[in-house]
Amino acid sequence: MWMLEYAAAAFGLACVALTVRQSVLCWPTGLIMVSLYLVVFYQARLYSDMLLQGVYIVLQIYGWYAWLYGGADRSALSVTRASSRELLAWCVVCLVGTAALGGTMRALTDASLPFVDAFTTSASLVAQWLLGRKRLESWLFWIVVDVASIGVYLAKGLYPTTGLYTIFLCLAVWGFVEWKRALPAAEPA
């Protein structure tokens, strides 16, 4: 499993670095990463994370399309901010998703860390959706996910993935700073 995990981590680094730079190549690179991690998380019995990778496959395809054609008149998207109402709604979605998925995993499987795993899954889905829409606040969700994930993967002995998420945390901070600079002048900073 360790070779697969290292390969997934390498594609993950490339994916996030490309995302920070707003390169559309982040999406096919991400497709490879999530496909590899689906297997890694299945073998580690992190079933919520495993299911997340399956959803990510769909979201990678959506993000790829949205970044190319999701703007006005099917143009490329620009970085924008989410409204306070939108962020509140996504936080509620994250909490409800955590409770529902964590409870289900605890009741029906031998999942390890079911509620923390469910939280990182729910928050990751919100972050990925916001990323696909090029919302600046996607990076704030990723920062929270990365901090929680570092603890989970360290506890599970997934050391290459722990290292990867530590780097992801740094890249998420960098991404927030870079995307904030990329906001159109009319957007409030």
Side-chain angles (χ1 to χ4, degrees), residues 54-126:
V55 174
Y56 274 164
I57 289 170
V58 174
L59 290 176
Q60 293 291 326
I61 294 166
Y62 165 78
W64 197 350
Y65 178 84
W67 276 32
L68 289 172
Y69 306 111
D73 299 321
R74 294 183 40 89
S75 64
L77 280 177
S78 298
V79 176
T80 58
R81 295 199 72 153
S83 69
S84 297
R85 177 177 270 170
E86 183 181 0
L87 290 174
L88 178 61
W90 284 119
C91 287
V92 170
V93 166
C94 183
L95 293 175
V96 169
T98 297
L101 184 58
T104 301
M105 290 297 167
R106 184 177 67 180
L108 300 178
T109 73
D110 63 345
S112 183
L113 308 168
F115 285 98
V116 178
D117 191 26
F119 170 74
T120 60
T121 298
S122 296
S124 293
L125 287 171
V126 168

Side-chain angles (χ1 to χ4, degrees), residues 110-170:
D110 63 345
S112 183
L113 308 168
F115 285 98
V116 178
D117 191 26
F119 170 74
T120 60
T121 298
S122 296
S124 293
L125 287 171
V126 168
Q128 188 68 27
W129 179 262
L130 292 171
L131 185 73
R133 299 303 312 152
K134 266 196 174 176
R135 297 280 200 249
L136 172 67
E137 293 79 7
S138 66
W139 293 110
L140 299 177
F141 277 90
W142 283 125
I143 289 167
V144 172
V145 167
D146 293 339
V147 168
S149 295
I150 288 166
V152 169
Y153 301 140
L154 192 59
K156 293 300 295 178
L158 296 172
Y159 302 117
T161 304
T162 301
L164 175 65
Y165 275 75
T166 301
I167 295 168
F168 279 171
L169 177 58
C170 296

Side-chain angles (χ1 to χ4, degrees), residues 164-184:
L164 175 65
Y165 275 75
T166 301
I167 295 168
F168 279 171
L169 177 58
C170 296
L171 289 171
V173 171
W174 179 37
F176 181 81
V177 170
E178 288 297 315
W179 281 30
K180 191 171 184 180
R181 287 185 192 145
L183 282 171

